[in-house]
Amino acid sequence: MAAFASGLATIFFYSPSLNPITGQATLSSPSRIRSSPRVLRGFHSLRRRGFRRFSQNVTADRFNSFSCNCLSAVSTSTLDYEFTDGGREVELRLRLKTGETLSPKDISVDADGTSLAVKEKRNGLLITLLETNQLFEKIMPSETIWYIDEDQLVVNMKKVDGDLKWPDIVESWESLTAGMMQLLKGASIYIVGDSTEINQKVSRELAVGLGYSPLDSKELLESFSKQTIDSWILAEGTDSVAEAESSVLESLSSHVRTVVSTLGGKHGAARRADKWRHLYSGFTVWVSPTQATDEETAKEEARRNKQEREIGYANADVVVKLQGWDPTHAKSVAQASLSALKQLIISDKGLTGKKSLYIRLGCRGDWPNIKPPGWDPSSDTGAHPGFT
């Protein structure tokens, strides 16, 4: 899977096992699928009563409510909204202008798989209440219903993945860092790529956002050897540094809830395909520079990169294509990484558990076709079936 980041403008994701999934930080009109209106006058807050109207046997105490004053990557003329996750469904409540009498003809609610546009006709003008093409995850547009409850417009949407809890209505840095915990389940993240500086800054942003422990292989190696990496290379060569980092990665492979920044360049273990035995223990993000100026070109470049198995980075779970670099944009790269990881894990719910099994069996290098317990890599003849 890959993500393309150009400043703060555009990102996209790619994986050999997934269809491309595109998202933009700038807004565009969603594909029009008109939902069915439902007008309920005098119907008070539903948060204090059962939601059998939309889902059988779902009660208010099973809902996690969340209110905020702003949306990321969303166009809106009202900053007053409430969001509720009810398991199979999510509910959005937008406060309408008081003192107005509205009919269904005055409201437009259009939904797509990851897009939502809510508009209100006011004084002959169509006012956008909320518009985003970055819902936290996919919905079933045909199942979307809406109604007016006193001074609020209520939009109820059915999730495609009912097991995934939404922290907010849109995908943002805040919702991703909160929502990824249920998907990662403590699994560590490794940042790889040719720039040690970029790896460090992106990993620190991820660690802070997720509440993980930040670990830096460069700092660990320099602390252990009492010399800088540059001095080490001059004295003993790049192979020596790569071997030492590989040993550090081995010691870190059993750790959980960590974000590890690896060495960049030819002296880094991650660049060498034969040093990935312990990197497979966590989710890996390859931050890769690109000269591409558009999404399609960057996607094709990412596909080629993943097929070039002679370079270790091609083993990464996620590729983030980065056009240029500015340290102030480290968080946007971290956000693109989390968004891509989210799509990857959702596409294979057993992936996190498989990583855990790989660790418990000793990180033997048999990823992704894990062999049965007792398998000896040194005596393998290739006759063993994969073990799940």
Side-chain angles (χ1 to χ4, degrees), residues 37-330:
R38 181 174 295 182
V39 182
L40 302 177
R41 292 293 181 187
F43 195 82
H44 299 287
S45 174
L46 298 176
R47 287 173 296 174
R48 294 188 177 88
R49 62 187 72 196
F51 256 64
R52 294 180 179 84
R53 179 176 314 280
F54 308 124
S55 177
Q56 292 294 321
N57 301 321
V58 179
T59 55
D61 59 356
R62 291 178 57 191
F63 280 64
N64 290 331
S65 296
F66 174 81
S67 299
C68 70
N69 294 320
C70 62
L71 286 173
S72 176
V74 63
S75 172
T76 176
S77 64
T78 174
L79 301 180
D80 189 5
Y81 82 93
E82 295 180 5
F83 170 75
T84 305
D85 185 317
R88 298 296 305 178
E89 296 143 351
V90 290
E91 180 188 271
L92 176 69
R93 286 176 169 262
L94 292 166
R95 190 169 299 280
L96 301 170
K97 188 174 181 181
T98 58
E100 289 188 351
T101 301
L102 296 175
S103 72
K105 295 180 180 179
D106 298 320
I107 300 295
S108 169
V109 178
D110 297 334
D112 197 359
T114 56
S115 302
L116 177 67
V118 183
K119 300 181 180 182
E120 170 194 356
K121 186 180 291 184
R122 188 185 303 166
N123 298 325
L125 299 175
L126 198 60
I127 306 299
T128 299
L129 299 180
L130 181 146
E131 185 171 8
T132 181
N133 63 354
Q134 285 185 271
L135 293 173
F136 186 75
E137 248 307 303
K138 294 179 182 178
I139 61 169
M140 302 178 188
S142 62
E143 299 293 326
T144 300
I145 62 173
W146 60 269
Y147 59 90
I148 299 172
D149 181 12
E150 295 188 338
D151 62 345
Q152 291 184 323
L153 175 64
V154 184
V155 184
N156 185 274
M157 296 161 280
K158 184 170 289 187
K159 304 177 193 173
V160 170
D161 184 352
D163 296 327
L164 181 68
K165 191 170 293 296
W166 292 24
D168 197 1
I169 189 67
V170 297
E171 182 183 279
S172 64
W173 173 249
E174 291 75 14
S175 65
L176 279 170
T177 51
M180 281 300 293
M181 304 305 291
Q182 63 189 301
L183 297 174
L184 289 170
K185 298 178 181 177
S188 293
I189 298 174
Y190 294 86
I191 307 300
V192 304
D194 272 335
S195 171
T196 301
E197 177 197 354
I198 293 176
N199 296 347
Q200 289 173 326
K201 292 187 180 300
V202 173
S203 67
R204 287 169 188 165
E205 290 288 351
L206 285 170
V208 171
L210 294 170
Y212 273 27
S213 298
L215 295 174
D216 187 331
S217 64
K218 179 176 184 288
E219 292 180 357
L220 292 172
L221 287 167
E222 291 182 340
S223 176
F224 170 78
S225 65
K226 309 299 182 184
Q227 62 180 328
T228 65
I229 296 298
D230 290 340
S231 298
W232 193 338
I233 293 172
L234 288 174
E236 302 182 39
T238 58
D239 290 347
S240 174
V241 176
E243 286 293 337
E245 187 184 23
S246 183
S247 297
V248 168
L249 295 174
E250 179 180 0
S251 68
L252 298 179
S253 62
S254 61
H255 290 217
V256 296
R257 297 181 179 86
T258 62
V259 182
V260 181
S261 169
T262 64
L263 285 175
K266 295 181 179 179
H267 53 280
R271 202 175 198 279
R272 306 181 180 211
D274 62 341
K275 301 296 183 186
W276 270 70
R277 176 177 169 181
H278 297 97
L279 284 167
Y280 290 130
S281 64
F283 288 99
T284 47
V285 179
W286 176 13
V287 182
S288 172
T290 181
Q291 297 300 317
T293 57
D294 61 88
E295 292 183 5
E296 289 304 319
T297 303
K299 283 181 182 180
E300 183 55 38
E301 182 180 297
R303 293 187 184 98
R304 291 197 305 270
N305 291 159
K306 291 291 289 182
Q307 294 169 357
E308 296 169 357
R309 289 296 176 180
E310 65 273 10
I311 183 170
Y313 301 144
N315 294 318
D317 296 302
V318 169
V319 182
V320 177
K321 281 297 180 182
L322 184 63
Q323 187 186 63
W325 169 246
D326 184 335
T328 62
H329 291 166

